[in-house]
Amino acid sequence: MTRFLPMLLLVMVGYCSSGWAANTTASTKTSDAPQQWQLQSPDQALTLALALDGQAFSYQLSFKGRPVLKPSRLGMAFKDQPALQANLKVLKVTPRTNNTSWQPVWGQRATIVDHFAELVVDAIETGTNPRQLQLIFRAYNDGIAFRYHLPAQPHLNKVVISNELTEFAFARNFKAWWIPAYRNQRFEYQYLNSALSSIDVAHTPLTLTDEGIAIAVHEAALVNYASMTLRNITDNHITLTADLVPWANGDKVYTQTPFSTPWRTIQVADSEVALLDSDLILNLNEPPAKDVELGYIKPGKYIGIWWEMHIGQKDWSPGPLQGATTERALQYIDFASQHDIDGVLVEGWNQGWEGEWWQRPPTFSFTKAVAGFDINKVAAYAKAKGVRLIGHHETAAGVQYYEQQMDEAFKLYQQLGVNSVKMGYVGTRVDQNQWHHGQYMVEHFGRVTETAARYGVMVNAHETVKDTGLSRTYPNLMTRECVRGMEYNGGSPDSGNLPNHTVIIPFTRGLAGPIDFTPGIFNFNYQQHRPNNRVPSTLANQLALYVTLYSPLQMAADLPENYQGHPAFAFIDAVPTDWQQSKALQGKIGEYLVIARQDKHSANWYLGATSNEQARELSVKLDFLKAGQSYQMISYLDAPDAHWETKPMAYQITKSVVKAGSTIELKLQPGGGAAIEFIPIQ
Amino acid sequence: MTRFLPMLLLVMVGYCSSGWAANTTASTKTSDAPQQWQLQSPDQALTLALALDGQAFSYQLSFKGRPVLKPSRLGMAFKDQPALQANLKVLKVTPRTNNTSWQPVWGQRATIVDHFAELVVDAIETGTNPRQLQLIFRAYNDGIAFRYHLPAQPHLNKVVISNELTEFAFARNFKAWWIPAYRNQRFEYQYLNSALSSIDVAHTPLTLTDEGIAIAVHEAALVNYASMTLRNITDNHITLTADLVPWANGDKVYTQTPFSTPWRTIQVADSEVALLDSDLILNLNEPPAKDVELGYIKPGKYIGIWWEMHIGQKDWSPGPLQGATTERALQYIDFASQHDIDGVLVEGWNQGWEGEWWQRPPTFSFTKAVAGFDINKVAAYAKAKGVRLIGHHETAAGVQYYEQQMDEAFKLYQQLGVNSVKMGYVGTRVDQNQWHHGQYMVEHFGRVTETAARYGVMVNAHETVKDTGLSRTYPNLMTRECVRGMEYNGGSPDSGNLPNHTVIIPFTRGLAGPIDFTPGIFNFNYQQHRPNNRVPSTLANQLALYVTLYSPLQMAADLPENYQGHPAFAFIDAVPTDWQQSKALQGKIGEYLVIARQDKHSANWYLGATSNEQARELSVKLDFLKAGQSYQMISYLDAPDAHWETKPMAYQITKSVVKAGSTIELKLQPGGGAAIEFIPIQ
């Protein structure tokens, strides 16, 4: 077992009122004597210690004096040359702090504080033809991050990375919430809850909990690299190792110096719910290029011809059940124009959906409409009604096929005034044999994002690479699925989601970025074609999801006729998709969640509370409201006899007046929720 | 999707006061018209429907009108010949009921009721050279079971089974508690809790829960066959398929007609805790042969030279840290003789433990003692003190090596008066390349059991095949590990069990049979060599495990010096290992459990209550006690400040007088428990 040896050299790097603690002497000695450097978060809760011992680096982490990670190895293995891990000496150690803030184009808050202490360690091998390595560590109040940077150098140029040797040697057997990696349905699994030791290989974000602590491991700024999964290589122990998703031939990453790996991130908080207010992932991404046009990027709500296919009333294929018809699209546009709905999605609008399209190489046209769907007429009608048509590119995981048509496809949308596209990559592998999460797909999706930006189109991607905060750099990267979404409650013949699913994913998948979960089902009676399926929530829970599941593009997933004249639709009309501030108030993963958010463009607040299959009562103190201000509170609540399984549609709307600091009692029924709007009284 | 067609022919087979319902006409017609037969449990809560539709069989199951399984295929695939699944017609349908009871040699209750309705379906293929198949279904009040029987027949003799086509098409996406199959550490994982749909491949028992229902899928009477695991072949759906653990070459089972498969069992109850009182698995096994000697079989408690190795104070290897010394064994024997402890285990007593024995082919002698351990002296001392020495056979998963010495080994033990053996199969594969759960190991372990019986030796096996109730047939098959036991809290360098583990395993692994978990740690301060480990419970919880984790051989796992003079040891001294009756009173998987059991040899009752990491208060009604009788109640309870992590040893003993029907309030602290003895007042 690796033990952490006593420090010989300690460089304290941290934020404190008196400035830098201790010295920052660069060490260039080649002795085998262990060296250690320490980095603290601005609030000093997190302490990261880096050690060079036996000429190899390891790091460890503690939170308020409590061990999080034991000494954990760092390094990188290459094909056809030795690993870069041993025989290292430190050339230079450069500390830095940053305390700035920035304004995202859209997001969970209008201003994000970017406050960290940084340590850049320049190292070089001790032998002949030495290779250079830079390790960059940052400590924020909400977590730590590190990345490898390999500068341009004489003895390392083009490389094939065969393995990243990054370890996460957890200090104890935490409870883990995870989805397995390397499965056919990508991220579309319900979460597993187990001891950390029972993980085999997990996707990130991986969320770990224990009394008084919550941890999430993920990555930020995944560019020209492979996704990281976390593998228990010591089977049944508690050290996880970075496992990069390979190309079909087993190689992990093709790259060339200079390059940086994505940031490896470890968010840490006192509680599970406190993880939800972290901005770590976004902070670790670059700001957008200065000259880039961003005016077309607008968060908003959308509806679409979609759920009726999932519940078996309609079909994507042409023919008698064809969902995408001109007439139906015009109905959606009419509904959108009468409500605060910005866009209308039409799936199956284009040619190539005949039969079992997911079983064959793609035959889609991305520019030609199917018979029965007059895209020009629909686009013109939408424009006249002040509604945007939303494009749709299903690729059936045929990436090369898609790229051939991509420019034409986006150009068409630009011409039609379509400023957002939902794209899909349904399939167990991309282009027959590539994982959805390897460098192959990362690079493809980068090209998609850039092409879309070039044509002024926002991206909402399904079955794609996980979010790592790149929307900071590419603000047209709005939202994505990468979760077992609402569709499983309709389209899947038998395996709908469990009621606890939506109180797990904000604490896991949600830490990565926006989720296009597509909430808002109002009509729970769709068992005609789906006898074994139901949406596992009440109607009030469906409304609350607009607050608890963050997305700048938020679908109202049900059919217009199920919304038409429904009093509860007023909440969907009202709820914003862009926020001044967001506060996760209460919650326990898999059990319940309460979040409050303030509209970015008004003083209104919105609160969402959701429960799992258990009924529960929650006291919520309204201390997020503006002191001294009175608000009209419009509450969309479970009726006393509501139950996700037996009476999901039973809800009630109540109105009252509240002030900041008052406490409200919420009764959530099984699978239930509460959605509340607070409007300042002038 | 398979749909269940309307019945043309319905044979009701069930227990009801008026006898058999409907007719039992044998159908020999070859028409494709679907036929259906129904079998109900004696209490009519469970309804199993068998259908022959399109000349293939399927079955479905409901519980109190609620679907449990949708139509699920039945069949068997062979190597080098067509599957036995289609083109079948029914020759004969034979119903039967049984309502008897039997007395196990030892067990959780002295009398077991064996009450079922049975349906035997004789079928034959419709083509030339037809093969015959018999399906046997049973419905008990606590679950249903079925098996395939292939009679001796002209067109099927020696076969290689390549796949069993048994499906479990669950009616909904239940919550699952499971351990993954095909992992290196066999059954020694902490349980995963997830949606059924997130399972890839799981061991049995697989426990499924939902509001008002609990289900466990397992098997009974696993003989000359491969263990069944359950695989989600439709990835992310909710139909699981029997996946037989293969031989190294991929074949599943080598056999010959006539043969029967193990019973496939589906236990169903109103609640999770009600599953614990099921006798289904034992009932489906054969009684012991009539002439077999059983007098040597005696449940009891044991201590042993073992935990001191796991916590790093001693070692299995010879040398300065050698745990197995004559002197130490005599100390254990002295302690046992002063207490109600029947046996003393000595691990490392034999030759061959040098160095990393688990990394090499086995070098153990099963008959020669290591230097420093005088086995004759120890055995004689034990005999003189009225204590039994317990044998130990670690095989390092070298089965063929073990079998060469097996007869000699058991003969030696017989000569020494050793009447029980703990054997181990530490290793990731048996004999280099065989799974621990395939037919190879099933057959080996059958030979071990028979050999042990021949020499009058009881078996306590670790790292072996799962329990399927064979202890009814072979009552010397006492207990086994096949679980992530106490050892992980000591020997594992970093990945101890979580506090919830012992409130999961009674509901999962425990449904298979006795667990040699080895509870009873009193000294929680063993961090000198195991700085990251602790036993995740309080002392009172440790005591309660003697009641909540059933085993006829029950270890007191701590060192004698940690027990010596300790007032709480009185409970271990008192608690029986053989029971008149057992009642699971309250519980929720992963949260808490309360069980009461009456001693087989007295009117005393014992109650164990355990909690996970949460403190909780439980009201327990003493309605299991004999009406009108007063009892002295001796309670071993958590002290108010007890906590598994910070103050595990804080406990208190209280005494009071209670009567049947009174209610007691139990306060369990985090990781806590309560162990209570009720002694009738004369």
Side-chain angles (χ1 to χ4, degrees):
Chain A
M1 194 189 126
T2 318
R3 290 281 172 74
F4 210 61
L5 295 171
M7 297 175 267
L8 277 195
L9 173 68
L10 173 66
V11 184
M12 285 289 297
V13 184
Y15 177 89
C16 53
S17 55
S18 60
W20 296 110
N23 64 70
T24 57
T25 311
S27 161
T28 53
K29 59 191 177 136
T30 58
S31 144
D32 275 353
Q35 295 170 278
Q36 184 169 318
W37 302 265
Q38 206 169 304
L39 184 69
Q40 281 197 315
S41 58
D43 64 2
Q44 301 189 39
L46 284 162
T47 302
L48 186 151
L50 173 72
L52 183 66
D53 186 6
Q55 301 191 342
F57 284 108
S58 68
Y59 72 105
Q60 61 182 324
L61 180 65
S62 66
F63 176 64
K64 298 184 179 175
R66 186 173 175 176
V68 174
L69 292 167
K70 294 176 290 180
S72 305
R73 290 190 313 163
L74 295 166
M76 194 173 283
F78 304 108
K79 200 171 170 179
D80 304 326
Q81 59 173 298
L84 187 52
Q85 185 179 36
N87 309 317
L88 288 162
K89 65 179 180 184
V90 169
L91 291 174
K92 194 171 64 168
V93 173
T94 315
R96 178 170 79 99
T97 54
N98 184 78
N99 190 357
T100 56
S101 63
W102 56 280
Q103 284 71 43
V105 177
W106 47 264
Q108 299 194 68
R109 62 201 106 246
T111 297
I112 292 177
V113 174
D114 191 12
H115 189 189
F116 61 84
E118 183 182 78
L119 195 66
V120 179
V121 178
D122 283 282
I124 193 165
E125 289 179 307
T126 52
T128 53
N129 297 330
R131 295 169 299 180
Q132 299 163 49
L133 169 69
Q134 193 178 69
L135 294 169
I136 308 167
F137 294 89
R138 285 191 187 169
Y140 295 77
N141 290 343
D142 52 347
I144 65 112
F146 60 91
R147 78 191 321 175
Y148 304 89
H149 176 72
L150 282 90
Q153 51 190 287
H155 306 297
L156 196 68
N157 183 11
K158 283 199 175 179
V159 288
V160 180
I161 298 174
S162 59
N163 221 353
E164 193 182 297
L165 305 175
T166 308
E167 273 184 358
F168 303 89
F170 291 98
R172 59 193 296 170
N173 201 357
F174 293 103
K175 274 198 179 182
W177 296 83
W178 57 290
I179 46 172
Y182 302 108
R183 297 271 296 268
N184 282 338
Q185 298 301 317
R186 307 162 302 272
F187 294 110
E188 295 172 9
Y189 292 90
Q190 286 179 90
Y191 277 76
L192 285 66
N193 181 212
S194 74
L196 166 56
S197 60
S198 287
I199 293 175
D200 52 352
V201 55
H203 278 301
T204 73
L206 164 68
T207 302
L208 304 171
T209 63
D210 200 350
E211 291 295 309
I213 192 167
I215 303 160
V217 182
H218 188 46
E219 60 184 311
L222 169 55
V223 180
N224 290 328
Y225 206 77
S227 294
M228 176 178 75
T229 68
L230 297 170
R231 189 178 287 277
N232 199 334
I233 53 168
T234 47
D235 190 10
N236 214 4
H237 284 273
I238 55 176
T239 293
L240 301 182
T241 302
D243 177 292
L244 303 179
V245 176
W247 290 70
N249 67 359
D251 292 341
K252 303 294 176 66
V253 175
Y254 299 101
T255 189
Q256 185 169 6
T257 59
F259 73 90
S260 297
T261 69
W263 291 95
R264 279 61 187 94
T265 61
I266 304 162
Q267 288 156 288
V268 188
D270 287 308
S271 68
E272 300 156 24
V273 74
L275 282 180
L276 275 62
D277 288 334
S278 170
D279 296 310
L280 183 73
I281 305 299
L282 289 174
N283 270 327
L284 290 162
N285 278 272
E286 299 298 315
K290 287 224 170 98
D291 52 350
V292 69
E293 167 60 36
L294 301 172
Y296 67 94
I297 298 172
K298 296 199 190 309
K301 284 163 285 191
Y302 72 101
I303 55 175
I305 299 177
W306 174 80
W307 182 244
E308 52 210 275
M309 278 87 113
H310 275 286
I311 59 176
Q313 285 184 16
K314 291 291 170 67
D315 203 277
W316 283 270
S317 300
L321 286 181
Q322 179 175 328
T325 65
T326 305
E327 188 193 0
R328 187 67 172 143
L330 300 191
Q331 290 170 6
Y332 272 82
I333 292 166
D334 283 339
F335 181 86
S337 73
Q338 293 152 17
H339 294 275
D340 189 15
I341 301 293
D342 303 274
V344 172
L345 167 74
V346 183
E347 295 209 358
W349 73 271
N350 56 328
Q351 294 179 12
W353 288 89
E354 288 78 8
E356 300 198 320
W357 52 269
W358 61 94
Q359 300 278 30
R360 60 171 185 251
T363 54
F364 297 111
S365 162
F366 294 95
T367 49
K368 292 186 193 135
V370 71
F373 185 78
D374 183 339
I375 193 168
N376 291 310
K377 181 175 174 183
V378 173
Y381 191 78
K383 191 171 182 184
K385 292 278 187 172
V387 172
R388 292 272 194 176
L389 207 55
I390 296 177
H392 186 236
H393 290 165
E394 176 52 55
T395 67
V399 154
Q400 292 183 18
Y401 179 85
Y402 180 36
E403 290 204 18
Q404 286 162 15
Q405 298 188 50
M406 202 159 68
D407 250 283
E408 284 302 308
F410 281 106
K411 189 187 285 180
L412 171 70
Y413 281 147
Q414 191 181 42
Q415 288 162 1
L416 292 170
V418 170
N419 75 340
S420 75
V421 172
K422 173 182 174 184
M423 66 258 315
Y425 295 91
V426 171
T428 57
R429 299 291 183 280
V430 169
D431 284 347
Q432 318 305 327
N433 60 8
Q434 302 286 352
W435 290 106
H436 277 69
H437 311 300
Q439 187 184 16
Y440 184 88
M441 185 68 177
V442 168
E443 293 188 347
H444 161 73
F445 193 59
R447 289 190 291 272
V448 170
T449 308
E450 285 166 30
T451 307
R454 199 147 28 85
Y455 290 101
V457 173
M458 296 180 278
V459 167
N460 170 5
H462 285 222
E463 302 95 24
T464 188
V465 179
K466 66 185 169 188
D467 200 341
T468 58
L470 283 167
S471 63
R472 181 179 181 189
T473 315
Y474 307 100
N476 69 318
L477 208 42
M478 303 301 285
T479 188
R480 66 188 87 195
E481 188 189 39
C482 299
V483 78
R484 203 172 191 273
M486 181 67 78
E487 62 185 15
Y488 279 84
N489 303 322
S492 173
D494 57 11
S495 58
N497 296 328
L498 298 188
N500 67 7
H501 187 53
T502 48
V503 280
I504 296 173
I505 60 176
F507 298 91
T508 48
R509 159 68 180 84
L511 301 177
I515 309 178
D516 190 37
F517 184 81
T518 72
I521 302 304
F522 275 24
N523 178 12
F524 297 78
N525 295 325
Y526 57 89
Q527 277 71 35
Q528 187 188 354
H529 305 287
R530 302 288 184 239
N532 298 308
N533 279 355
R534 56 188 68 242
V535 172
S537 74
T538 65
L539 192 144
N541 176 296
Q542 288 292 305
L543 296 178
L545 297 178
Y546 287 88
V547 183
T548 62
L549 299 180
Y550 170 66
S551 182
L553 298 181
Q554 196 72 281
M555 190 177 199
D558 212 336
L559 318 186
E561 47 273 30
N562 294 332
Y563 290 143
Q564 196 72 58
H566 199 302
F569 196 80
F571 186 81
I572 298 181
D573 258 345
V575 70
T577 51
D578 201 10
W579 305 100
Q580 184 66 30
Q581 49 183 320
S582 294
K583 297 188 177 189
L585 301 176
Q586 298 177 27
K588 204 155 159 42
I589 180 167
E591 300 184 15
Y592 67 98
L593 176 59
V594 185
I595 295 185
R597 304 185 195 268
Q598 188 202 340
D599 182 16
K600 192 165 183 174
H601 306 291
S602 78
N604 292 5
W605 279 86
Y606 296 82
L607 181 143
T610 54
S611 182
N612 64 0
E613 60 276 19
Q614 303 297 322
R616 69 186 73 233
E617 297 187 18
L618 300 170
S619 291
V620 180
K621 190 149 196 242
L622 306 179
D623 47 11
F624 50 86
L625 297 175
K626 188 177 167 187
Q629 173 73 55
S630 290
Y631 293 80
Q632 184 179 38
M633 178 172 86
I634 310 174
S635 302
Y636 300 74
L637 306 170
D638 291 327
D641 58 346
H643 189 295
W644 71 272
E645 194 160 16
T646 54
K647 208 166 178 183
M649 298 195 227
Y651 80 103
Q652 55 196 10
I653 303 176
T654 65
K655 296 188 183 182
S656 58
V657 173
V658 292
K659 276 199 157 187
S662 19
T663 295
I664 56 172
E665 304 295 328
L666 298 177
K667 288 194 184 181
L668 311 185
Q669 300 305 327
I676 305 178
E677 184 178 22
F678 299 90
I679 305 165
I681 297 170
Q682 300 308 324
Chain B
M1 194 187 126
T2 317
R3 289 281 172 76
F4 209 61
L5 295 171
M7 297 175 268
L8 275 196
L9 172 68
L10 173 65
V11 183
M12 284 290 297
V13 184
Y15 177 89
C16 51
S17 54
S18 60
W20 296 110
N23 64 69
T24 57
T25 310
S27 163
T28 53
K29 58 188 178 142
T30 58
S31 143
D32 276 354
Q35 294 169 278
Q36 185 168 317
W37 301 265
Q38 208 168 304
L39 183 68
Q40 281 197 315
S41 58
D43 64 1
Q44 301 189 40
L46 283 162
T47 302
L48 186 149
L50 173 71
L52 182 67
D53 186 6
Q55 301 190 343
F57 284 108
S58 67
Y59 73 104
Q60 61 183 324
L61 179 65
S62 66
F63 176 65
K64 299 184 178 176
R66 186 171 174 178
V68 174
L69 292 168
K70 293 176 290 179
S72 304
R73 289 190 313 164
L74 294 167
M76 193 173 283
F78 304 107
K79 200 172 171 181
D80 304 326
Q81 58 173 297
L84 187 51
Q85 185 180 37
N87 309 317
L88 288 162
K89 65 178 178 185
V90 169
L91 291 175
K92 193 171 64 171
V93 174
T94 315
R96 178 170 77 99
T97 54
N98 184 79
N99 191 356
T100 55
S101 63
W102 56 281
Q103 285 71 44
V105 177
W106 47 263
Q108 299 195 67
R109 63 202 104 247
T111 297
I112 293 178
V113 174
D114 191 14
H115 189 189
F116 62 83
E118 184 183 78
L119 195 65
V120 179
V121 179
D122 284 281
I124 192 165
E125 289 180 308
T126 52
T128 53
N129 297 330
R131 295 168 299 181
Q132 299 163 46
L133 168 69
Q134 192 177 69
L135 295 169
I136 309 166
F137 293 89
R138 287 192 187 168
Y140 296 76
N141 289 343
D142 53 345
I144 65 111
F146 61 90
R147 78 191 322 175
Y148 305 88
H149 175 72
L150 281 90
Q153 51 189 286
H155 306 299
L156 196 67
N157 182 12
K158 284 200 176 180
V159 289
V160 181
I161 299 174
S162 58
N163 221 353
E164 193 184 296
L165 305 175
T166 308
E167 274 184 358
F168 302 89
F170 292 98
R172 59 193 296 168
N173 201 355
F174 293 103
K175 275 197 179 183
W177 297 83
W178 57 290
I179 46 173
Y182 302 107
R183 298 270 296 267
N184 283 337
Q185 299 300 317
R186 306 161 303 272
F187 294 110
E188 296 173 9
Y189 292 89
Q190 287 179 91
Y191 277 77
L192 285 67
N193 181 213
S194 74
L196 166 57
S197 62
S198 287
I199 293 175
D200 51 352
V201 56
H203 278 300
T204 73
L206 165 68
T207 302
L208 304 170
T209 63
D210 200 351
E211 290 295 309
I213 192 167
I215 302 159
V217 182
H218 188 45
E219 60 183 311
L222 170 55
V223 179
N224 290 330
Y225 207 78
S227 295
M228 177 178 75
T229 68
L230 298 169
R231 188 179 288 276
N232 198 334
I233 53 168
T234 47
D235 189 9
N236 213 4
H237 285 273
I238 56 176
T239 293
L240 302 182
T241 302
D243 178 292
L244 303 178
V245 176
W247 290 71
N249 67 0
D251 292 342
K252 303 293 174 68
V253 175
Y254 298 103
T255 188
Q256 185 169 5
T257 58
F259 72 89
S260 297
T261 68
W263 291 96
R264 279 63 188 91
T265 61
I266 304 163
Q267 288 157 286
V268 187
D270 287 310
S271 67
E272 300 157 22
V273 75
L275 283 180
L276 276 61
D277 287 333
S278 170
D279 297 309
L280 183 73
I281 306 300
L282 289 174
N283 271 326
L284 290 162
N285 278 272
E286 298 298 315
K290 286 218 171 104
D291 51 350
V292 70
E293 168 59 39
L294 301 171
Y296 67 94
I297 298 172
K298 297 200 189 308
K301 284 163 282 190
Y302 71 102
I303 56 175
I305 299 178
W306 175 80
W307 182 244
E308 52 209 276
M309 278 87 114
H310 276 287
I311 60 176
Q313 284 183 17
K314 291 290 168 66
D315 203 277
W316 283 269
S317 299
L321 286 181
Q322 179 175 329
T325 65
T326 305
E327 188 194 358
R328 189 65 172 144
L330 300 191
Q331 290 170 7
Y332 272 82
I333 292 166
D334 283 338
F335 181 84
S337 72
Q338 293 151 16
H339 294 274
D340 189 16
I341 301 291
D342 303 275
V344 171
L345 168 74
V346 182
E347 295 209 0
W349 73 272
N350 56 328
Q351 295 179 11
W353 289 89
E354 288 79 7
E356 300 197 322
W357 52 269
W358 62 92
Q359 300 278 29
R360 61 170 184 251
T363 55
F364 296 111
S365 163
F366 294 95
T367 49
K368 291 184 194 138
V370 71
F373 185 76
D374 183 339
I375 192 167
N376 291 311
K377 181 174 175 184
V378 173
Y381 190 78
K383 192 172 182 182
K385 291 278 186 174
V387 171
R388 293 271 195 177
L389 205 56
I390 296 177
H392 186 236
H393 290 165
E394 175 53 53
T395 67
V399 156
Q400 292 183 19
Y401 179 85
Y402 180 36
E403 290 204 18
Q404 286 162 15
Q405 299 188 51
M406 202 160 67
D407 249 284
E408 285 301 309
F410 281 106
K411 189 186 288 180
L412 171 70
Y413 281 148
Q414 191 183 40
Q415 287 162 1
L416 291 169
V418 170
N419 75 340
S420 76
V421 172
K422 173 181 173 184
M423 67 258 313
Y425 295 91
V426 170
T428 57
R429 299 290 183 282
V430 168
D431 284 346
Q432 318 306 327
N433 60 9
Q434 302 287 354
W435 290 105
H436 277 69
H437 311 301
Q439 188 183 14
Y440 184 87
M441 185 67 177
V442 168
E443 293 187 349
H444 161 72
F445 193 59
R447 289 190 291 272
V448 169
T449 306
E450 286 167 29
T451 306
R454 200 148 26 85
Y455 290 100
V457 173
M458 297 181 278
V459 167
N460 170 4
H462 285 222
E463 302 93 25
T464 188
V465 178
K466 65 185 169 187
D467 201 342
T468 58
L470 284 167
S471 62
R472 181 179 180 188
T473 315
Y474 307 99
N476 69 318
L477 208 43
M478 304 300 286
T479 189
R480 64 189 88 197
E481 187 188 41
C482 299
V483 78
R484 204 172 192 274
M486 180 68 78
E487 62 186 15
Y488 279 84
N489 303 322
S492 173
D494 55 10
S495 58
N497 296 327
L498 299 188
N500 68 7
H501 186 54
T502 48
V503 282
I504 296 173
I505 59 175
F507 297 91
T508 49
R509 160 65 181 85
L511 300 178
I515 310 178
D516 190 37
F517 185 80
T518 72
I521 301 304
F522 275 25
N523 178 13
F524 297 78
N525 295 325
Y526 57 89
Q527 276 72 36
Q528 187 188 352
H529 305 285
R530 303 287 184 241
N532 298 307
N533 279 355
R534 57 187 67 244
V535 172
S537 75
T538 65
L539 191 144
N541 177 295
Q542 289 292 304
L543 296 178
L545 296 178
Y546 288 88
V547 183
T548 62
L549 299 179
Y550 170 67
S551 183
L553 298 181
Q554 196 73 282
M555 191 177 198
D558 212 336
L559 319 186
E561 47 271 32
N562 294 332
Y563 289 144
Q564 196 72 56
H566 198 302
F569 195 79
F571 185 81
I572 297 180
D573 259 344
V575 70
T577 51
D578 201 9
W579 304 99
Q580 184 64 33
Q581 48 183 321
S582 294
K583 297 187 177 189
L585 302 176
Q586 299 178 28
K588 205 156 158 38
I589 181 167
E591 299 185 16
Y592 67 100
L593 176 60
V594 185
I595 294 185
R597 303 186 195 268
Q598 188 203 340
D599 182 15
K600 193 166 184 175
H601 306 291
S602 78
N604 291 6
W605 279 84
Y606 296 82
L607 181 143
T610 53
S611 181
N612 64 0
E613 61 276 18
Q614 303 296 321
R616 68 186 73 234
E617 297 187 19
L618 301 171
S619 291
V620 180
K621 191 149 193 244
L622 306 180
D623 47 11
F624 51 86
L625 297 175
K626 188 177 167 189
Q629 173 72 55
S630 291
Y631 293 80
Q632 184 180 38
M633 179 172 86
I634 310 173
S635 303
Y636 301 74
L637 307 169
D638 291 327
D641 58 347
H643 189 295
W644 71 272
E645 194 159 19
T646 53
K647 209 166 178 185
M649 298 194 228
Y651 79 102
Q652 54 197 12
I653 304 177
T654 65
K655 296 187 183 183
S656 57
V657 172
V658 292
K659 278 199 157 189
S662 18
T663 295
I664 57 172
E665 305 295 329
L666 297 178
K667 288 195 182 179
L668 311 185
Q669 300 305 328
I676 304 179
E677 184 179 23
F678 300 90
I679 305 166
I681 297 170
Q682 300 308 323

